[in-house]
Amino acid sequence: MNREYATNFSTMLDRRDFILASMGTAAWLMMSGFPRSDQAASPLALPPLPYAENALEPVITARTIGFHYGKHHKGYVDNLNKLVAGTEYAEMPLREIIIGSAGQPENSAIFNNAAQIWNHTFYWNSMKPKGGGEPPTALKQRMEASFSSVDACKQELAAAATTQFGSGWAWLVLDGDTLKVVKTGNADLPLTNGMKPLLTIDVWEHAYYLDYQNRRADYVNTVLDNLINWDFAAKNLG
C-alpha cells in the first residue's frame, strides 16, 4: 500500500477499521460475520448464504431468495470477475476494490458490481430466521442513547427504507460515537463515507417484488419485526 493510497484510505475509515484493513480485509470480514469465501482476491466466489433458501419463509420466500441470491447476487460476482481481469484490481480483496474504485467514473462498473456483492452479503447476514425481538444489551443502550428507544430506531429504519426513491439501501451505522440511520441509492454504501455499517435492508425491487409486489412498506416492517439480526449489528458495533 503506497503512502498516498494509505492516506486516502485512512480518511474514509475510523481508526479501528483502518487497523483491521492494514491487517487485510479478511480480518474485518471475519469480525463482521462474513463467510470466508467473501475474503479472497479475484477470482471472487459467490459467498454462501448463512441459512437455507427457505429459512426466511414466510416473510421472504425461497422463490425470492432463489432469484435474488442465485441470479442477482451471483450476477454481480460473475460481472466483477470479468471486469477486473487483467486490471490493478484483479488481486485485491473485495473491500479494497470498493474503496479503490469509489468516486472514479471510469471505474463505475467495477465499483457498482463490487459494492453490490458486499451489500448483498451484508444484507443476508443482517437477517436470520426468528429474528427481531430485543437487541443485545450493549446495542440496545446505544440505540436508546441515539434514538431514545429501540422502536424509534426501527421507525427511522423503516422511514429510510420506504422513502428511498428507486433502488437502494437503508442502513444502521456507527458514525463516530453515534448510531445513525442513513439511506443510499443503487450500489452506494456507508463505507465510502467513513461510517461503519451495522446492518442493512435491501429495497431494490428484486428484494421483495415477488412476495410483496408494490408494498415495500409491508416488506420492510415485516423484516424489522421478524427477521432483523440484532446480534449481527451488535457484533459489528464491536
Side-chain angles (χ1 to χ4, degrees):
M1 182 181 291
N2 62 44
R3 182 172 298 174
E4 180 181 359
Y5 181 81
T7 300
N8 292 336
F9 192 48
S10 63
T11 62
M12 290 184 270
L13 304 173
D14 62 27
R15 183 173 182 273
R16 177 174 174 270
D17 275 354
F18 180 68
I19 292 170
L20 289 174
S22 68
M23 294 165 56
T25 304
W28 190 91
L29 292 172
M30 287 176 68
M31 293 187 69
S32 298
F34 272 70
R36 292 193 60 84
S37 62
D38 194 49
Q39 300 166 19
S42 181
L44 293 161
L46 177 66
L49 285 170
Y51 33 70
E53 287 191 2
N54 65 351
L56 304 183
E57 291 187 335
V59 179
I60 299 176
T61 63
R63 183 172 181 236
T64 288
I65 298 291
F67 278 99
H68 194 175
Y69 172 74
K71 303 294 185 183
H72 292 278
H73 194 173
K74 182 179 184 299
Y76 298 125
V77 174
D78 293 343
N79 288 340
L80 183 63
N81 281 322
K82 293 174 184 176
L83 288 165
V84 301
T87 74
E88 62 183 302
Y89 299 104
E91 298 304 319
M92 288 185 184
L94 181 62
R95 195 164 185 250
E96 291 186 19
I97 296 174
I98 294 168
I99 298 299
S101 60
Q104 298 183 6
E106 68 276 16
N107 290 318
S108 60
I110 289 175
F111 172 81
N112 286 335
N113 283 277
Q116 284 292 77
I117 297 169
W118 197 98
N119 291 350
H120 278 84
T121 305
F122 203 78
Y123 169 64
W124 303 129
N125 284 277
S126 293
M127 300 181 293
K128 66 177 183 178
K130 299 180 181 179
E134 190 86 351
T137 301
L139 176 62
K140 181 180 178 182
Q141 291 173 345
R142 297 293 289 270
M143 293 166 78
E144 291 172 341
S146 297
F147 301 100
S148 78
S149 69
V150 172
D151 283 344
C153 177
K154 288 173 62 178
Q155 288 169 12
E156 284 205 30
L157 274 166
T162 54
T163 60
Q164 168 59 35
F165 185 77
S167 300
W169 305 82
W171 306 82
L172 179 64
V173 303
L174 182 65
D175 187 9
D177 293 326
T178 304
L179 297 188
K180 293 181 179 178
V181 168
V182 299
K183 55 186 176 180
T184 60
N186 298 318
D188 287 340
L189 67 170
L191 284 177
T192 54
N193 292 313
M195 294 179 284
K196 183 186 297 181
L198 303 182
L199 58 77
T200 193
I201 301 174
D202 187 347
V203 293
W204 283 64
E205 284 192 342
H206 60 242
Y208 62 89
Y209 210 84
L210 290 177
D211 296 330
Y212 295 88
Q213 288 78 54
N214 63 324
R215 295 177 288 111
R216 182 193 286 188
D218 288 351
Y219 152 73
V220 169
N221 285 307
T222 308
V223 166
L224 284 168
D225 288 340
N226 298 282
L227 297 181
I228 206 70
N229 189 349
W230 298 125
D231 291 330
F232 180 65
K235 186 176 182 180
N236 291 328
L237 186 62

